[in-house]
Amino acid sequence: MTRAERAAGRAMLSRLLREHQAQQSERREQQERRRREAIAAATCLTEALTDHLNVGVAQAYVNQRKLDHEVKTLQIQAAQFAKQTGQWINMVENFNQALKEIGDVENWARSIELDMRTIATALEYLYKGQLQPSSS
């Protein structure tokens, strides 16, 4: 081989090496770009999933707070109802007691009335007996 051929071979090898290195550099850049795009897409997906889950968690938290509030309100209302029911029961018991007392007073009044009639009848007989002339 002649010097010129060797030089042309070296030049060709050198050019092929530069082309190969340029292609490898381009492939690395393309691979790096794709890796960044994949990371960005994975990050977006992760954020979207997290946001979606957070919305559900936030809604569950809001619902739980509403339920807690409703439970407290219901407990207060139940306590008030129990207190009011107790007052009603006391009122009914007092009313029943008053009715019994009225019944007792009515019986007492009838008894006195009967006694008064008996006394009035006895006094009437006595009075009539005194008014009749004696037949002696």
Side-chain angles (χ1 to χ4, degrees):
M1 255 185 163
T2 64
R3 235 177 185 194
E5 288 176 340
R6 274 191 256 157
R10 278 191 213 133
M12 188 192 305
L13 281 176
S14 181
R15 185 179 52 81
L16 285 175
L17 180 63
R18 280 193 309 271
E19 285 176 7
H20 176 71
Q21 288 174 344
Q23 285 176 351
Q24 278 188 334
S25 177
E26 186 178 324
R27 282 187 193 132
R28 276 190 221 114
E29 287 175 12
Q30 187 178 24
Q31 193 173 24
E32 181 63 26
R33 188 175 64 250
R34 287 180 181 163
R35 186 183 68 79
R36 284 192 305 264
E37 288 172 357
I39 289 172
T43 301
C44 287
L45 176 63
T46 302
E47 288 175 357
L49 289 173
T50 302
D51 289 345
H52 180 71
L53 290 175
N54 283 342
V55 166
V57 169
Q59 186 62 46
Y61 178 74
V62 167
N63 290 344
Q64 182 63 43
R65 287 188 51 123
K66 286 180 183 177
L67 285 174
D68 290 342
H69 176 72
E70 291 295 324
V71 165
K72 287 178 185 177
T73 302
L74 184 60
Q75 286 173 340
I76 290 169
Q77 289 175 348
Q80 289 172 344
F81 180 70
K83 182 179 176 182
Q84 187 175 27
T85 303
Q87 291 171 344
W88 288 343
I89 289 171
N90 285 336
M91 287 174 54
V92 168
E93 287 174 354
N94 291 340
F95 181 70
N96 282 339
Q97 186 61 35
L99 286 177
K100 286 178 186 177
E101 289 173 5
I102 288 172
D104 291 345
V105 169
E106 185 179 358
N107 287 336
W108 176 76
R110 283 185 191 149
S111 176
I112 289 181
E113 182 182 6
L114 185 60
D115 289 346
M116 294 302 285
R117 285 187 182 164
T118 304
I119 291 170
T121 304
L123 287 174
E124 190 177 326
Y125 285 134
L126 281 175
Y127 178 72
K128 287 182 181 178
Q130 287 178 357
L131 289 177
Q132 291 179 1
S134 27
S135 39
S136 338

